[in-house]
Amino acid sequence: MDGIQELRAKYLSQVASAEGAEALESVRLAALGKKGEISLKMRELGKMSPEERQIAGPALNGLKSEIDAALKARKAAMDDAALDERLKAEWLDVTLPGRARAKGTIHPISQVTEECAAIFADMGFRVAEGPQIETDWYNFDALNIAPEHPARQEHDTFFMHRAEGDNRPPHVLRTHTSPVQIRALQDQGAPIRVIAPGRVYRMDMDVTHTPMFHQIEGLAIDKDISMANLKWVLEEFFSAYFGTKVKTRFRASHFPFTEPSAEVDIQCSWVGGQLRVGEGDGWMEVLGSGMVHPNVLRDGGIDPEIWQGFAFGMGIDRMAMLKYGIPDLRAFFESDLRWLRHYGFSALQAPTIHAG
Ligand code: PHE
């Protein structure tokens, strides 16, 4: 049939030189589309004599599939080239070092709390907890603190608001961790050995006081627990905490919830303006303590004729400052990383928030 070779040469060269998918598509339409040149030729087959058709039919079909194949091959080549371009443009260097992520440090108070809890755990003390918003009964009455006691005066205690017309005594922000003594006794009864670390609140603010600070309460009740046990437990604790033998000194004192009561000092010295715990002949007050008052045992629901024991309350902030040489209480609230690192608080190895 006339013109087949010309058609073949024309479209194969157009396919070969088409740039881009659109150009290739217009070549396809011009050759094989409904009104394409080759399609029109195929329609003419009907008008041919059978002899002519027998030659022209296969020739046209062959041309059609050859051009079709050429179109597909060209399309594939173009796709490959495009992919090559993308791979070059979007190349990712997986050998680059990762971007360092900023790490926080554990807060000194949290660290010291954990250190203390671990030492007391070795002596059989479990951790107990209570609410920071406390009823005045747990914070005061149950601890044998009479309504006229100065600790109840407004200048020490934060009182929560009551709705107008609600005449119940207001809740307070607990002023010490001692209410946890009552809660633990009510929950667990005796014998008992617990510590209760946590936040406490007093209306106080200067270089050595903040309105929120931290205490650890200790409570040990059994049938024959004495002040001697208290002294041993505290000396064990301080020696473990400071990593050196620390002597303690008991001074007679008064708390409504203990009888007898003692304030406890630890041995220390000042060398060149630096405080050293566990040496020298100086003393520093660190906690209040005593034998739990019978009224407190009764309020906790246990019989003071059978049970007795000691309690103590210690400031955690002070303990952190003493061990890590931190000079200013207010610094705890800044939580500046550079400051924390300066005092040797290391970055957390792994965030604890989602620890399994
Ligand atoms: N709760 C007392 C305070 O905050 C400390 C204390 C606790 C004293 C337990 C004796 C027994 O000062």
Side-chain angles (χ1 to χ4, degrees):
M1 189 187 165
D2 284 349
I4 289 268
Q5 285 319 315
E6 286 76 5
L7 282 175
R8 187 173 175 275
K10 171 174 156 191
Y11 284 112
L12 285 183
S13 99
Q14 281 187 15
V15 167
S17 60
E19 287 296 341
E22 258 177 60
L24 198 61
E25 176 63 6
S26 29
V27 176
R28 189 188 69 80
L29 285 173
L32 307 177
K34 259 190 192 156
K35 287 175 188 157
E37 205 171 353
I38 293 167
S39 311
L40 291 178
K41 280 245 183 274
M42 291 187 91
R43 257 181 245 166
E44 285 169 17
L45 288 173
K47 297 177 205 151
M48 292 180 187
S49 68
E51 293 77 20
E52 281 175 326
R53 200 183 302 133
Q54 235 170 30
I55 298 169
L60 275 172
N61 271 325
L63 178 61
K64 190 185 163 197
S65 30
E66 198 179 346
I67 290 177
D68 200 45
L71 282 163
K72 288 203 173 103
R74 179 84 183 121
K75 175 88 172 57
M78 283 181 349
D79 286 351
D80 279 356
L83 184 62
D84 273 355
E85 281 299 305
R86 254 189 78 190
L87 286 176
K88 264 181 229 152
E90 295 175 12
W91 182 72
L92 178 74
D93 185 354
V94 293
T95 67
L96 278 176
R99 284 190 197 109
R101 277 214 264 163
K103 280 184 195 160
T105 75
I106 192 163
H107 194 279
I109 296 297
S110 307
Q111 180 167 318
V112 165
T113 303
E114 303 245 317
E115 287 171 18
C116 294
I119 296 168
F120 282 114
D122 281 346
M123 294 189 274
F125 288 80
R126 292 166 54 172
V127 172
E129 287 186 313
Q132 294 175 38
I133 299 174
E134 194 47 287
T135 65
D136 67 338
W137 188 81
Y138 278 106
N139 197 77
F140 298 123
D141 301 62
L143 291 162
N144 201 34
I145 303 176
E148 64 279 4
H149 191 279
R152 289 216 180 188
Q153 301 299 301
E154 193 117 14
H155 69 266
D156 271 331
T157 309
F158 289 105
F159 292 93
M160 309 297 287
H161 279 298
R162 279 278 185 221
E164 193 132 358
D166 186 339
N167 293 321
R168 290 174 299 165
H171 282 75
V172 300
L173 293 183
R174 67 178 180 195
T175 57
H176 51 179
T177 42
S178 298
V180 187
Q181 288 185 35
I182 307 294
R183 291 183 175 276
L185 283 174
Q186 288 178 337
D187 288 352
Q188 302 172 35
I192 191 174
R193 270 188 245 181
V194 289
I195 57 159
R199 291 181 171 162
V200 300
Y201 303 83
R202 285 180 204 174
M203 272 191 236
D204 222 347
M205 185 69 186
D206 58 39
V207 183
T208 54
H209 294 90
T210 51
M212 188 278 284
F213 57 103
H214 303 79
Q215 288 187 334
I216 290 189
E217 194 79 7
L219 175 69
I221 305 290
D222 210 322
K223 289 189 174 152
D224 54 4
I225 288 188
S226 70
M227 291 286 274
N229 299 128
L230 171 63
K231 185 157 170 97
W232 182 87
V233 163
L234 291 178
E235 287 197 354
E236 281 293 302
F237 166 73
F238 288 122
S239 300
Y241 178 75
F242 289 108
T244 178
K245 179 81 195 139
V246 180
K247 284 192 190 140
T248 61
R249 182 175 78 171
F250 282 47
R251 279 179 294 104
S253 183
H254 174 263
F255 299 102
F257 33 93
T258 45
E259 182 58 40
S261 302
E263 272 167 327
V264 178
D265 302 339
I266 52 174
Q267 177 196 12
C268 65
S269 71
W270 289 90
V271 182
Q274 257 223 312
L275 183 74
R276 302 233 181 101
V277 175
E279 57 181 62
D281 48 15
W283 297 99
M284 172 167 290
E285 185 195 324
V286 286
L287 59 80
S289 66
M291 294 300 288
V292 178
H293 196 287
N295 289 349
V296 173
L297 295 176
R298 225 173 272 122
D299 288 331
I302 65 167
D303 184 352
E305 298 297 326
I306 304 174
W307 304 103
Q308 64 176 45
F310 64 75
F312 61 85
M314 176 173 71
I316 301 181
D317 310 68
R318 165 71 70 81
M319 294 305 284
M321 293 165 77
L322 288 177
K323 179 162 174 177
Y324 293 99
I326 300 166
D328 188 340
L329 193 59
R330 286 172 301 184
F332 283 137
F333 298 93
E334 317 261 326
S335 299
D336 186 299
L337 281 180
R338 289 162 302 183
W339 176 84
L340 289 171
R341 291 203 181 104
H342 176 78
Y343 289 104
F345 289 89
S346 53
L348 288 171
Q349 284 312 298
T352 51
I353 305 171
H354 302 295

